[in-house]
Amino acid sequence: MNTLRHARYVLGENPVTALAFAGFFVLVLCAVFGPALAPYDPLASDTAQALTGPSAAHWFGTDQLGRDIFSRIVVAARLDLGIAVFSVALAFGVGALLGLAAGYYGGWIDRVVGRSVDTIMAFPLFVLAMGIVAALGNSVANIVFATAIINLPIYARLARAEANVRRHAGFVEAARLCGNSEARIVLAQLLPNIMPLMMVQVSLTLGYAILNAAGLSFIGLGVRPPTPEWGIMVAEGASFIVSGEWWVAFFPGIVLMAAVFCFNLMGDGLRDMVDPRRRT
Amino acid sequence: MLLLRRLATALPSIAGVIIVTFLLTRALPGDPAAYFAGPAATTQAIDEIRHQLGLDRSLPVQFLDYLGQLARGDLGTSLSTGQPVLAELLTRLPASAELTLLGLVLSVVIAVPLGIAAAMRPGAPVDHFCRVVTTAGVSLPTFFTGLLLVYVFYYLMGIAPAPLGRLDVFSSAPPHWTGFYLIDSLLARDLPTFGAALAQLVLPAATLAIFSLAPLARITRASMLAALGSEFVRTARASGLSRRRIVYVYAFRNAVLPVITTLGMVFSFLLGANVLVEKVFAWPGVGSYAVEALIASDYAPVQGFVLTMALLYVLLNLGIDLVYGLVDPRVRLEA
C-alpha cells in the first residue's frame, strides 16, 4: 500500500515517467491484441496501392507491395517485444543466479563467474551477438539467445555486488541461525532483497535488447521477410529513402525509437522510486 | 615497466577472446565439414574434408591448430570471394577506422563541452537540453538516424552526396599511404578529393557521433557536478583563483577520469554501431564485409571479423588504461 502511494507520488511528480508507463501500456496492448487491432492483413499485398504515402485509409502509407505499414507495425510489436522480453528474462535468470552464487559464496565460483563475465565484456557486444548468431544459425531463437548472452554481464555483476555487500547482513545471519539452508538463504532472502535494483536494470536493458534485436534483423539476421518486424521493415524501407518514399522506413523506425525511449524513461522512473538518492 | 604490467593485465582478456572465437567456430552445433563439402557431397567426401580440416581430432588438438593458424595470421579463406580473410580485412580496415575515429572525435568535441556547460548551470536551459540529448541519444537506433540524415540532407536539401561509399563517382582514390582518404589526399595536396572524401564522411560520422554522444555527455555532466561540489574546488574558490582556472584546471582535470573510463564502453558501442552505419551508407569497411559474408553464410570472414574487432577492442581498452595512468598520477603510484 505504501509502495503504491509512493509510486503514485513519483508518477505525479514526474509526468514524463507517467507518459512512459502509458506508452508501455500501449505497446503491451499491441503485443497482446496486435492482429485483432490491425485494420489490414499485415501480409496482404495490393500492388495497385504500392508505395502510397500516409492517407486516411492507410495511416502510415503502404510499402512496395502495397501492404499497410500501420498494420505491420502493430502486429510486429509482439515479435519485437517477445524477443526483448525472452532474452532479458533469460539474462536476468541466469545472470542473477550466477551473480548471487558468486557474491555469496565467493571463492572459485566467484573467480569462474567473474572471468566468464569479463570475457563476454571483452567483446564489442553487438559484434559478439553477430558472431553468436552466425555460429548457431540464423534464426529468431538464436537472436534471443545472443541478446541474452550480451546482457548477462550486467545482471551477473549487479547481483554479485549486491549479494557480496549483504552476505554478512543481519537478516542473512538471522536466517542462517534459524537453520535455513544456504540455497534457501540465497533464493528466499537475498534475491528478493536485490529485486528492486534488478528490476530497474530490466527496464533499462529491455530497451537495449529491442535495439539490439532490431539491429540484427536490420542486417538480415534472424527474422525473414515477409514477417513484420521493426528492424527488417526499416531495412526494407532503406532503399526508398533516396527516392523520397520516406514513410516506408520512417514509421517503423520512429516506433522502434519510441519503444526504446519508453523503456529508458521507465527505467529512470523506476530508479527514482527504488532509490530517491540516485535521482538525476 | 608500467607498460609491461598493463600489457599483462590484457592477456587474460585476449586469451578469453581467442577461446570464445574458437568455440564459436568449432564446438557448436552444425557440421562444418558437411558445410564445406557442399550439399551434393557423399558421406565419404564429407569424412575426407573433415580429416583435411582436422575436425576428426580432439578439441584440445584442434585448439592448438587454431592457435598455430592465428600465429601465422591465417584466418581462413572467404568462400564467396576466394580471398584470404586477413588480407581483405586489412584492406578494408582503414575505411572503418577513418569513419569510427571521426565519429568519436565529433562526439567528444560536442559531448564534453555540453556536459561541462550543463554541470555549471544545473536546471538552466542548457542542462535540460543536455538531458534531452542524452536520453534521446541512447534510444536512437543508429541505422534509423543514418537513414533520417540521408533523407533530410541528401533527398530534401540536396547538400549531401549520395550515401554510396567513400567517394563519389567523379573522384578517384588518393594514392595509398595510410588508407585514410582524408590524410592521403592532403599528403597528395589533392584538395578536391579531400573535399569529396569529407563530404562522404560527414553523414555517417555524424550518425555515429549522435549515438555515442549520450553516455559521454551524461558522465561528463555527472562527474563535473561532483568535482564542482567538492572541497578542493571550494578551497580553490576561497583562495581567489579565477573561475576559468577553477573550472578547467581544478575541476575538469578530476572530472575527466570517469569520462576516459566511459570511452571504453563508447568504443564497444561504436564498433557495433559501425556495422549498421556501414550498411546504411554502403561504406566499404570491415563491417559491411562481415554483413555480406553473413548473408551469404560465409563464416570464415564473420569469425575473422569478430576476432579482429574483439582484439582491437581489448587493445583500445589497454590504451585507455595507459591514458588514464598519464592523466591521473595516483593510478601510477598504486600500480
Side-chain angles (χ1 to χ4, degrees):
Chain A
M1 200 54 233
N2 220 355
T3 326
L4 265 182
R5 200 177 310 138
H6 182 54
R8 207 168 54 217
Y9 167 74
V10 173
L11 287 183
E13 184 87 325
N14 193 346
V16 178
T17 311
L19 208 68
F21 274 95
F24 176 67
F25 184 68
V26 172
L27 274 178
V28 172
L29 217 62
C30 288
V32 177
F33 300 109
L37 292 175
Y40 295 86
D41 178 354
L43 298 178
S45 56
D46 175 9
T47 34
Q49 291 284 321
L51 286 177
T52 54
S55 63
H58 298 281
W59 292 358
F60 290 175
T62 57
D63 65 5
Q64 71 280 12
L65 296 174
R67 296 173 296 195
D68 180 49
I69 292 177
F70 178 71
S71 302
R72 287 174 67 74
I73 289 177
V74 170
V75 171
R78 184 179 295 176
L79 183 57
D80 275 275
L81 277 192
I83 294 176
V85 167
F86 273 108
S87 57
V88 168
L90 203 60
F92 179 87
V94 178
L97 284 186
L98 287 178
L100 280 172
Y104 183 72
Y105 293 109
W108 65 269
I109 301 184
D110 193 16
R111 281 197 294 279
V112 171
V113 171
R115 186 51 75 206
S116 312
V117 166
D118 283 351
T119 304
I120 297 178
M121 296 294 284
F123 284 89
L125 294 177
F126 187 75
V127 172
L128 179 62
M130 281 172 69
I132 293 172
V133 176
L136 293 185
N138 194 347
S139 70
V140 175
N142 288 333
I143 297 256
V144 171
F145 192 55
T147 311
I149 290 184
I150 65 172
N151 277 322
L152 190 100
I154 305 174
Y155 293 105
R157 282 188 171 173
L158 186 62
R160 184 202 169 275
E162 298 299 327
N164 202 29
V165 182
R166 289 170 175 72
R167 64 194 287 194
H168 294 304
F171 69 95
V172 171
E173 300 286 1
R176 193 173 292 138
L177 273 177
C178 292
N180 287 293
S181 70
E182 300 275 290
R184 199 182 153 80
I185 294 175
V186 171
L187 293 178
Q189 304 292 333
L190 277 177
L191 184 60
N193 210 267
I194 65 170
M195 215 50 174
L197 279 173
M198 300 284 280
M199 288 318 288
V200 172
Q201 210 56 51
V202 164
S203 178
L204 290 173
T205 39
L206 266 178
Y208 179 65
I210 292 188
L211 265 190
N212 186 71
L216 288 174
S217 59
F218 179 77
I219 58 173
L221 290 177
V223 188
R224 316 234 167 144
T227 314
E229 191 275 340
W230 298 334
I232 210 165
M233 289 173 74
V234 177
E236 283 173 353
S239 42
F240 300 106
I241 282 280
V242 284
S243 52
E245 284 92 8
W246 52 273
W247 58 88
V248 187
F250 178 78
F251 288 113
I254 207 82
V255 169
L256 172 62
M257 194 188 104
V260 180
F261 201 59
C262 262
F263 283 119
N264 286 342
L265 286 178
M266 239 169 62
D268 287 344
L270 284 178
R271 181 167 49 204
D272 289 355
M273 283 180 213
V274 172
D275 184 5
R277 279 166 307 172
R278 276 211 254 174
R279 280 188 200 185
T280 45
Chain B
M1 196 55 223
L2 177 81
L3 187 72
L4 280 182
R5 205 175 296 155
R6 294 273 170 203
L7 272 176
T9 58
L11 284 181
S13 302
I14 294 178
V17 162
I18 292 178
I19 292 173
V20 169
T21 346
F22 168 73
L23 288 178
L24 283 179
T25 49
R26 308 292 157 99
L28 292 165
D31 185 351
Y35 169 71
F36 280 110
T42 58
T43 339
Q44 198 188 350
I46 293 177
D47 283 342
E48 211 161 282
I49 287 179
R50 180 169 296 132
H51 183 71
Q52 267 177 23
L53 292 173
L55 293 172
D56 49 354
R57 279 175 278 176
S58 71
L59 215 54
V61 176
Q62 286 189 39
F63 184 61
L64 288 181
D65 279 354
Y66 181 71
L67 286 183
Q69 285 170 7
L70 286 188
R72 287 193 302 275
D74 177 6
L75 292 176
T77 309
S78 159
L79 285 180
S80 37
T81 63
Q83 299 293 315
V85 170
L86 184 68
E88 286 204 80
L89 281 176
L90 285 180
T91 39
R92 281 164 165 263
L93 203 54
S96 299
E98 187 173 37
L99 173 58
T100 313
L101 286 178
L102 194 67
L104 180 72
V105 168
L106 212 57
S107 100
V108 170
V109 165
I110 298 170
V112 172
L114 181 63
I116 294 179
M120 283 169 63
R121 292 178 198 78
V126 64
D127 189 23
H128 289 296
F129 177 69
C130 178
R131 188 171 310 149
V132 169
V133 165
T134 52
T135 321
V138 286
S139 311
L140 280 171
T142 349
F143 49 90
F144 182 57
T145 335
L147 287 172
L148 274 186
L149 291 180
V150 168
Y151 181 70
V152 172
F153 292 101
Y154 168 70
Y155 181 79
L156 285 185
M157 299 168 75
I159 49 177
L164 295 168
R166 300 179 79 184
L167 281 177
D168 56 46
V169 284
F170 311 109
S171 317
S172 52
H176 189 284
W177 280 303
T178 57
F180 285 36
Y181 281 7
L182 289 184
I183 297 176
D184 284 353
S185 59
L186 277 188
L187 286 176
R189 289 164 204 277
D190 184 356
L191 278 183
T193 308
F194 177 81
L198 187 65
Q200 297 288 131
L201 263 170
V202 169
L203 287 191
T207 310
L208 283 177
I210 291 172
F211 179 65
S212 55
L213 205 140
L216 282 175
R218 179 180 284 216
I219 202 79
T220 307
R221 176 183 177 276
S223 63
M224 259 321 257
L225 266 182
L228 285 172
S230 67
E231 292 182 348
F232 64 83
V233 164
R234 194 189 56 190
T235 310
R237 201 171 281 151
S239 311
L241 290 173
S242 72
R243 183 179 168 79
R244 223 193 151 86
R245 198 172 164 80
I246 291 170
V247 170
Y248 293 103
V249 179
Y250 284 70
F252 183 65
R253 193 157 175 209
N254 279 282
V256 83
L257 296 170
V259 179
I260 293 174
T261 321
T262 312
L263 273 182
M265 191 180 81
V266 168
F267 266 119
S268 168
F269 282 176
L270 276 177
L271 292 178
N274 199 39
V275 177
L276 298 169
V277 172
E278 283 186 10
K279 174 145 159 65
V280 171
F281 291 91
W283 202 256
V286 286
S288 51
Y289 175 60
V291 169
E292 281 158 28
L294 258 177
I295 300 308
S297 307
D298 182 3
Y299 295 130
V302 182
Q303 307 294 4
F305 167 73
V306 173
L307 182 68
T308 314
M309 286 299 113
L311 290 181
L312 204 62
Y313 182 50
V314 171
L315 290 181
L316 284 169
N317 273 325
L318 186 69
I320 289 171
D321 265 6
L322 290 175
V323 171
Y324 202 96
L326 288 181
V327 176
D328 188 356
R330 287 168 302 185
V331 179
R332 262 176 288 172
L333 288 177
E334 282 164 20

